[in-house]
Amino acid sequence: MDNYIVSARKYRPMTFSSVVGQDALTTTLKNAVKSGKLAHAYLFCGPRGVGKTTCARIFAKAINCENPTQDGEACNECESCRAFNEGRSMNIFELDAASNNSVENIKTLMEQTLIPPQTGKYKVFIIDEVHMLSQAAFNAFLKTLEEPPAHVIFILATTEKNKILPTILSRCQIYDFERMTVPEIIHHLEMVAGKEGITYEDEALNVIAEKADGGMRDALSIFDQVSSFCQGHITYDKVLQDLNVLDVDNYFKIIDLSLENKAADIMVLLDNIIQHGFDGSNVINGLASHVRNVMMAKDEQTLPLLEVSEGQREKYKEQAKKCPLPFLYKALRILNECDVQYRQSSNKRLLVELTLIRVAQITQPEDADVPAGGRSPMRLKSLFKKNNVVQPKPAMQVTGTARTLATHKTVKIAPTKAEQKDEPTNAKESVSEEYKPKTATVGPLKSGVTFHLKNIGMTFDDLRRKPKTNDVTEAVKVDEAEAKKVAASKPEAQFTDDDLIREWTAMCNRMPQKFVGLAARMKNLVPAITDYPNIEVVVDNKLLLDQINAISRNIRATMRTKLHNTLIEFTPRLAKQDENQRALTKLEVFDALRKQNPAIEKLRVGLGLELS
């Protein structure tokens, strides 16, 4: 029985023309051989399995060839070429720096450089994995590398150029080897399969090429493994089974189900994938790559960026027609967030499930119970909805100054003192109205009063610009379409007490250094909305009130800008006797809470927490 030789060694290139995927570098090296313009040191760097050491051997043979061809290749007929091919050349030395990385090894190498070649022109020293040399060995190598004897050429090879000293890099011609593309690897595997008499499916070789990650040596090693498993006929299903690779059809199914908002079916598919031994991280990364490929398939210009077979390319093009670009952008963002959070998550499967649910909800309509403007980006939509019968709404007729629509809330309108004098005695101060087709008439309106019509805020200031009439009913006639139109053009933003306090605190933090004392005292004050959108702050001493009054216009301008409402007025006032209460610190608030509820103190002690 003959000794078996793995494909990576059996089909190792012996000439520059047989090197795959490095045309620019091989052309440069051949031209150097033809012209005789040889440097004294070369550095070949790049990822594993892309031909660094192979090119170094071919180059070393071509340098010493007695009769090189016109295109710079070795003749393979002269004595130097035959000696190299038979492994008995005395002019080419290979050194593994990973196991010979000491100063003594480098000194021994330097001694060998002093002996001229017995046959041929040059002594070529190939040092593989040169980045493994120690710091002292690098320093011992520097002088010889810069000015070696005329008959010596060094060829260094490494996978990690960043670990090599800059003084070494500056003494070498640097050649960066590239990863091989999927089509190049597939073409080479087809050649090897033809010589070995192995039949194959195109999709199977595509999986092998993608698994190799740009390395031809890895591709040939995987090819040998799969060939042994398939026994002469390499099929797509057997390759997936042997390499434990997730079928790309699963990603196509997940995207199709997401477009139909079928989150439950995606959960079943995910469970089946995990049951077959695949990790959640592989699912997320694979799905993100799949979505990226779908996005590339939407445009003919980016279609060449797909490193897949022709059959797979057509499948991507078909799915790209069904996927809108906003869906693909949002899906990529969600999957990227999951990839970032995956390592820190304590429940990784739950994180993957929530991520896939969010992807499935991208095209799902918004829930009717939550306004679109108030939805949190992380809020999950309802997955299962009951088919409720929607009752027809009565026609909307609005007469009078204002009317609440589809609400059970009470609208209170507080007139000013001037308006109270002019207001008729029979005018109503509040209107409480059920959802009934009836008309409500209220007293005179204050400027800036806002009524909410189905979550849409609108003001009646614009309506005051109409010619005044004695009949209030004739002054305001609003239907639903007009109300929405007015609300859409409303320039002022709405804000709450929480928004006000947040911006107040932020303003205090931004105050200049010379106002640091005033800012600290202002943080203890709690502004409040008195007569929307007017703001009031109660101060407990006259000195602080004077200081705030001095900058009140700046405070008002800041609040108008940050809260996006130009109608805001700011009024500081001195506290009355019954309002003069000291503001509690965070520690005092926490002490009060744990006295009321001992469980809070027990939780603090159990977790070893301290209030900062």
Side-chain angles (χ1 to χ4, degrees):
M1 183 177 178
D2 295 336
N3 293 329
Y4 172 73
I5 302 177
V6 296
S7 298
R9 293 179 55 196
K10 185 176 181 179
Y11 296 100
R12 191 168 195 167
M14 300 298 294
T15 62
F16 284 122
S17 59
S18 59
V19 176
V20 179
Q22 310 295 341
D23 295 337
L25 299 183
T26 54
T27 301
T28 304
L29 295 175
K30 286 191 294 184
N31 291 339
V33 173
K34 286 192 298 181
S35 63
K37 296 179 179 179
L38 301 175
H40 64 276
Y42 295 84
L43 175 64
F44 293 171
C45 49
R48 68 184 188 279
V50 294
K52 299 184 297 298
T53 306
T54 298
C55 285
R57 291 178 177 179
I58 297 173
F59 187 43
K61 182 172 70 172
I63 288 173
N64 282 313
C65 180
E66 298 175 1
N67 302 302
T69 62
Q70 292 184 353
D71 59 350
E73 295 277 6
C75 67
N76 287 318
E77 295 178 357
C78 64
E79 176 59 25
S80 177
C81 291
R82 288 199 304 268
F84 177 82
N85 293 337
E86 295 171 4
R88 55 183 178 82
S89 175
M90 300 300 294
N91 293 336
I92 300 174
F93 301 89
E94 286 194 41
L95 177 68
D96 178 23
S99 55
N100 300 276
N101 57 3
S102 65
V103 177
E104 289 74 14
N105 299 127
I106 294 299
K107 288 182 178 180
T108 303
L109 179 66
M110 298 302 100
E111 293 174 356
Q112 294 179 2
T113 62
L114 301 176
I115 304 174
Q118 302 300 314
T119 59
K121 302 177 183 178
Y122 298 98
K123 267 192 172 183
V124 182
F125 293 87
I126 301 174
I127 304 179
D128 203 5
E129 302 298 333
V130 69
H131 66 275
M132 298 294 290
L133 289 177
S134 64
Q135 184 79 13
F138 268 128
N139 293 329
F141 188 38
L142 277 176
K143 187 61 178 177
T144 303
L145 185 64
E146 183 177 13
E147 297 179 358
H151 58 269
V152 172
I153 293 178
F154 291 104
I155 303 178
L156 315 180
T158 179
T159 56
E160 299 184 41
K161 184 173 68 173
N162 59 297
K163 292 186 178 180
I164 299 178
L165 295 178
T167 49
I168 296 290
L169 296 176
S170 64
R171 289 166 168 80
C172 303
Q173 283 190 10
I174 301 174
Y175 291 79
D176 289 307
F177 285 68
E178 301 176 354
R179 292 181 181 273
M180 298 177 187
T181 63
V182 171
E184 290 172 343
I185 295 176
I186 292 176
H187 180 72
H188 191 71
L189 292 179
E190 290 174 348
M191 181 271 295
V192 174
K195 291 184 177 181
E196 293 292 328
I198 298 174
T199 58
Y200 56 86
E201 294 179 358
D202 292 338
E203 297 296 333
L205 294 186
N206 185 77
V207 173
I208 295 174
E210 291 180 354
K211 187 76 172 178
D213 193 24
M216 184 62 73
R217 183 172 62 236
D218 292 353
L220 291 172
S221 299
I222 297 172
F223 178 81
D224 290 342
Q225 174 185 340
V226 172
S227 300
S228 300
F229 180 73
C230 298
Q231 291 295 310
H233 180 61
I234 301 177
T235 63
Y236 178 71
D237 292 335
K238 288 185 177 180
V239 169
L240 295 181
Q241 182 180 354
D242 186 39
L243 300 181
N244 196 30
V245 176
L246 185 58
D247 190 354
V248 72
D249 288 340
N250 290 292
Y251 302 134
F252 282 102
K253 291 178 183 177
I254 291 176
I255 296 302
D256 288 337
L257 293 173
S258 297
L259 292 173
E260 300 173 6
N261 310 128
K262 295 182 178 180
D265 293 342
I266 295 177
M267 293 299 99
V268 175
L269 179 59
L270 175 64
D271 181 72
N272 184 44
I273 293 173
I274 294 178
Q275 291 299 328
H276 281 78
F278 293 99
D279 186 58
S281 178
N282 295 334
V283 176
I284 294 299
N285 291 330
L287 184 59
S289 299
H290 176 82
V291 174
R292 176 260 182 194
N293 289 343
V294 174
M295 187 167 62
M296 295 299 106
K298 287 190 73 70
D299 194 336
E300 291 294 333
Q301 294 181 349
T302 56
L303 197 58
L305 298 179
L306 294 180
E307 294 185 345
V308 295
S309 63
E310 289 299 326
Q312 291 281 19
R313 183 169 299 184
E314 291 300 322
K315 293 179 67 175
Y316 278 113
K317 291 173 66 176
E318 289 298 322
Q319 188 168 74
K321 295 177 181 179
K322 299 184 293 183
C323 296
L325 273 177
F327 168 80
L328 298 175
Y329 293 150
K330 292 179 182 178
L332 280 176
R333 184 189 65 196
I334 293 172
L335 293 171
N336 182 66
E337 290 174 357
C338 178
D339 184 41
V340 172
Q341 300 169 3
Y342 189 84
R343 185 171 298 178
Q344 289 80 21
S345 176
S346 59
N347 193 340
K348 301 185 186 308
R349 175 165 180 171
L350 179 60
L351 176 63
V352 174
E353 291 175 343
L354 289 176
T355 299
L356 295 181
I357 290 174
R358 290 177 62 193
V359 173
Q361 291 180 328
I362 293 175
T363 59
Q364 180 176 318
E366 301 289 345
D367 294 344
D369 62 330
V370 178
R375 173 180 297 284
S376 169
M378 300 298 291
R379 182 180 186 273
L380 295 179
K381 303 172 186 176
S382 302
L383 298 182
F384 308 99
K385 295 184 178 180
K386 298 181 180 179
N387 295 325
N388 297 327
V389 179
V390 180
Q391 299 294 336
K393 299 180 180 179
M396 197 175 306
Q397 299 177 354
V398 180
T399 59
T401 304
R403 177 176 172 194
T404 54
L405 303 178
T407 180
H408 297 283
K409 296 182 179 179
T410 299
V411 180
K412 294 184 178 180
I413 304 175
T416 61
K417 295 181 179 181
E419 291 172 336
Q420 286 177 352
K421 296 179 181 179
D422 298 311
E423 183 182 345
T425 55
N426 58 350
K428 299 179 182 179
E429 293 182 357
S430 64
V431 178
S432 178
E433 175 178 307
E434 299 294 331
Y435 182 56
K436 297 176 183 178
K438 67 179 184 179
T439 301
T441 304
V442 299
L445 285 176
K446 292 188 342 177
S447 177
V449 175
T450 302
F451 294 88
H452 293 276
L453 306 181
K454 286 189 176 179
N455 296 321
I456 301 177
M458 65 169 289
T459 67
F460 289 85
D461 289 348
D462 294 336
L463 299 175
R464 288 182 175 273
R465 299 172 186 169
K466 296 182 178 180
K468 296 183 179 180
T469 61
N470 295 327
D471 189 355
V472 179
T473 303
E474 289 296 324
V476 181
K477 287 184 178 179
V478 184
D479 57 11
E480 184 179 13
E482 184 65 17
K484 291 183 178 180
K485 182 178 180 181
V486 174
S489 62
K490 179 177 67 63
E492 306 301 341
Q494 304 292 322
F495 63 93
T496 63
D497 286 326
D498 292 337
D499 298 331
L500 173 60
I501 294 174
R502 182 181 67 251
E503 295 301 336
W504 178 272
T505 305
M507 177 190 67
C508 295
N509 292 332
R510 293 193 303 268
M511 290 178 68
Q513 183 66 27
K514 63 180 180 179
F515 294 115
V516 62
L518 177 59
R521 291 190 291 273
M522 287 177 59
K523 285 183 182 180
N524 294 327
L525 303 179
V526 181
I529 302 173
T530 55
D531 183 12
Y532 187 88
N534 298 330
I535 301 170
E536 181 184 73
V537 64
V538 180
V539 186
D540 57 359
N541 65 80
K542 185 66 169 60
L543 179 60
L544 180 57
L545 178 62
D546 293 339
Q547 293 177 334
I548 294 177
N549 278 328
I551 60 172
S552 61
R553 296 182 62 181
N554 295 336
I555 296 175
R556 180 184 65 183
T558 301
M559 292 296 106
R560 286 181 175 181
T561 302
K562 297 300 181 181
L563 296 175
H564 308 289
N565 192 313
T566 59
L567 301 178
I568 292 176
E569 293 293 339
F570 173 69
T571 306
R573 69 174 177 86
L574 192 62
K576 299 178 183 179
Q577 187 174 1
D578 55 348
E579 292 179 330
N580 192 6
Q581 296 180 357
R582 186 176 64 87
L584 298 178
T585 64
K586 294 181 179 180
L587 182 59
E588 291 172 338
V589 172
F590 180 72
D591 289 337
L593 286 176
R594 61 183 177 182
K595 287 179 181 178
Q596 295 176 2
N597 192 345
I600 296 178
E601 176 64 15
K602 184 177 180 181
L603 177 63
R604 184 193 69 80
V605 175
L607 297 177
L609 301 177
E610 293 293 340
L611 185 65
S612 59

